[in-house]
Every structure is written in C-alpha cells, then in structure tokens.
Amino acid sequence: SLCCILGFTLNLMSFIYFSTLNSRNSTSQFFKRLYLVITCNDMLVCTALLPIIEAAFSPGRKGLLSTESLLCSTWTVVWLTLSQVSIFLVGILSVSRLLVLKYPNRQLQPKFAWLCPAVCYTAMLAMSLALSGSSIMHTVYYPEWFICGPYAFQPGSNTSQLATQEELKNARVFTILFNIIPAFSIVPISISFVLSLISLKKSRIAALNISSSTTRQREATKTVIIVTLVYIMFNIPYSSMIAVVMISITGPIGEITVEAYINKYVINTTQHPLLDHYLPAIVFVMCPGLNSLLNPAIYFWRIKHFKSHIMAWKMCKGRVVVPGSQPVTRESNLA
C-alpha cells in the first residue's frame, strides 16, 4: 500500500514539476518530455498495484482478481503493457544520455520522446489484446504472485494430465513474447550504464574548464546513471529468473504434465516453502513497485529546484510561487 499511495503522489508531483520547466534547447526538451512519460507510467504502475494489495490482504490470497474474470483479463493486459514500457523507457533514458555524452554538439529531437514510447505502448497493447482475445491464450490468477497472467492451458482442466504439444508450443510463445524485454534488456541497459560512467569520468577535465553547459550535462548524466542503477538493482532478480526460464524452454521438454510444467517454468518452485510463498511476490510485484516509488526520491535528491517545487506545491496547492511575485517558471537543467 505504501508503494501505491506514496508512489502515485510523489510521481504526480514529479509530473507537475517537469511540466513547469522551460527548455533551453531541443535536447533539454527531449529529456523533459521523456521524464514526463516516465513519471506518468510510474503513476500507472503504482495504481495497478491496488488489486494486488487487495488480494494480498484477502483470505487465501484470493481477491477480486481471482473471482472476476473480466478484471483479471483487463489487469493482465494493463500490467504487461506498463511493466514492459517501464523497462523500455529506462533503456531510452540511458542510451539517449550516453549519446549526448558521446556527441555533445548534436541535438536530440523532442518528438522521439513521445514517438518511441507511443510505439512501444501501441505494440504491447495490440499484442496483449490480440492474444487475450484469442482462443489459444487464457488468463488465470496466480496466488503465488497475487496477480493474473497468461495461461496456455485450459482453465479448470485436470493439471495431472499430460500437456499437448500445441499447448506446450503456445506456452513457449507466450513466455518469449511477454518476457523477452525484461529478460534481456538488462544487458544493453547495463552496457550503456558502464559506458556512461566511463564517459562521465573522461568529461571531468572538461568540466574543470568551467563551462556551465558542461557542468549541467555532467549533473544530468549523474541523475540518469543513478536512475539506471536503481533500475538494475531492482530488476536483476527478475531478469535472471526469466532468462533462465527462457533458455530452458528452448530445448526439448518432452512429455510433461500441466502441473509439472507450471511448477518448473511458470511458478519456478524452489521446494522451499518460505521462498515459494514470498519470493515470486517480491521479485515480480514488489520490486517494480519500489522502483517506481524510488524514482521521485532520486529527482528530489538530484534535480535542482525540485525540492523547493515540492514544498511550494504542498503549501500553495500546486502553484509554484514566491511571496509578492508571479508564478515562477524554472529553466530546465535536464541537459
């Protein structure tokens, strides 16, 4: 509940802050728009945690998601889309900052800060809606995770029976489609993170010469590096588990019951009761929620004027003002 309420509120404040910034150039405008999209997506992620929280405090981990099939299907599409786009946005942020460091005289086009996420949103929504509306994919409630998700087998069927080859094929397709981004995006994001650190170290000499634009770029780069680092910390467990599953399903599976397949490739049971009870919820639910919650804390710590904006927003109900003056419009220090 903390991630949901506090995360939504802080990301809303962050969205308002970024929307008030003036942009000094197209690169600054690009990062302003990108941060707006990120904060908006983080707000939606925090909101999507509400049914999970309700399920977590329900007897037997069974809430509305386990009883309302339409809600379960809708939530599955929304969560898959938001979680995938969240990873995609971190990748754009990290790579674009690296490009600015490598090519400081080139300007980024602001339209791509809207266009790239829009394409990702559209593609994920279209794929999720198409598959969820077909007869080959079902959505079921997983009490181990408190969430609903794709299911290749007929709901309510005898799980002790052998899975058909068609069902196993569908299960592989779903696993790859819905997990390829979180499983392997950690690699390019980590590479751009390391390269940004190296470039930042090399730019230290240039900053000593003291160019205000160079100093701003270094500070903005540090912020992006911290955001990326937090993402890597919270997503390495998820990416590692999913990558292992995706690699394992590429080989021959052979004859296997539905129950055995779910335990091995979906729930990933560890045969340890405590881990089986809490680990999936921590890795697949709590980590993304905490990541969305911590992003505004990074903005509060790293971005100039953000703290004063939060205080003014609290005191003046959203209007950033100083006594005896007109509302203040701050200049962006994102690039």
Side-chain angles (χ1 to χ4, degrees), residues 98-323:
L98 178 61
L99 290 175
V100 170
L101 283 174
K102 291 290 186 180
Y103 309 102
N105 295 325
R106 294 186 181 181
Q107 294 292 313
L108 299 179
Q109 296 299 315
K111 63 182 179 181
F112 290 111
W114 299 131
L115 184 60
C116 292
V119 170
C120 187
Y121 273 116
T122 303
M124 287 303 306
L125 275 174
M127 181 181 69
S128 301
L129 289 172
L131 288 174
S132 62
S134 68
S135 59
I136 62 174
M137 189 188 91
H138 311 279
T139 54
V140 298
Y141 177 72
Y142 294 97
E144 298 84 5
W145 303 343
F146 311 113
I147 66 174
C148 294
Y151 191 71
F153 311 99
Q154 187 65 36
S157 61
N158 186 359
T159 58
S160 62
Q161 294 180 347
L162 290 175
T164 66
Q165 289 302 311
E166 183 179 357
E167 289 175 332
L168 292 176
K169 179 182 177 181
N170 292 338
R172 286 180 173 182
V173 171
F174 301 156
T175 302
I176 293 172
L177 287 177
F178 293 126
N179 294 293
I180 191 169
I181 292 180
F184 299 111
S185 62
I186 195 77
V187 176
I189 291 176
S190 298
I191 292 174
S192 67
F193 169 77
V194 174
L195 292 177
S196 294
L197 281 177
I198 295 172
S199 299
L200 185 66
K201 185 176 180 180
K202 290 181 178 179
S203 68
R204 185 180 303 170
I205 297 176
L208 294 175
N209 288 331
I210 241 189
S211 161
S212 60
S213 62
T214 302
T215 303
R216 283 196 303 267
Q217 285 192 14
R218 282 177 52 80
E219 293 305 311
T221 300
K222 290 178 182 179
T223 302
V224 172
I225 286 174
I226 295 171
V227 170
T228 307
L229 178 62
V230 170
Y231 161 80
I232 292 173
M233 290 171 56
F234 279 102
N235 284 272
I236 277 182
Y238 178 34
S239 299
S240 301
M241 292 176 66
I242 292 299
V244 169
V245 171
M246 291 189 64
I247 293 172
S248 64
I249 65 171
T250 58
I253 295 178
E255 292 188 346
I256 189 171
T257 64
V258 173
E259 183 180 13
Y261 182 91
I262 293 172
N263 287 337
K264 184 175 182 180
Y265 298 110
V266 180
I267 300 176
N268 299 315
T269 54
T270 62
Q271 307 304 319
H272 190 290
L274 189 62
L275 288 178
D276 288 343
H277 193 74
Y278 292 107
L279 186 61
I282 293 173
V283 171
F284 298 110
V285 178
M286 285 187 62
C287 284
L290 287 172
N291 195 172
S292 295
L293 170 63
L294 286 178
N295 281 339
I298 297 172
Y299 309 149
F300 187 87
W301 171 36
R302 290 293 311 164
I303 297 179
K304 186 179 180 182
H305 302 311
F306 188 79
K307 183 175 182 179
S308 60
H309 168 81
I310 295 297
M311 299 304 296
W313 189 89
K314 180 180 178 181
M315 295 173 60
C316 304
K317 298 181 181 180
R319 296 180 63 238
V320 182
V321 299
V322 293

Side-chain angles (χ1 to χ4, degrees), residues 42-60:
D42 284 341
M43 279 192 289
L44 294 175
V45 168
C46 293
T47 304
L49 293 174
L50 280 173
I52 302 175
I53 297 169
E54 189 265 343
F57 289 97
S58 299

Side-chain angles (χ1 to χ4, degrees), residues 16-23 29 32 303-305 329-334:
I16 295 173
Y17 168 76
F18 290 123
S19 65
T20 63
L21 294 178
N22 273 346
S23 304
Q29 179 72 5
K32 171 186 173 179
I303 297 179
K304 186 179 180 182
H305 302 311
T329 303
R330 295 191 174 93
E331 189 177 57
S332 171
N333 62 338
L334 302 178

Side-chain angles (χ1 to χ4, degrees), residues 41 78-89 120 124 127 177-182 238:
N41 191 80
V78 171
W79 183 259
L80 287 173
T81 301
L82 292 177
S83 59
Q84 303 280 327
V85 172
S86 179
I87 298 168
F88 184 74
L89 291 173
C120 187
M124 287 303 306
M127 181 181 69
L177 287 177
F178 293 126
N179 294 293
I180 191 169
I181 292 180
Y238 178 34

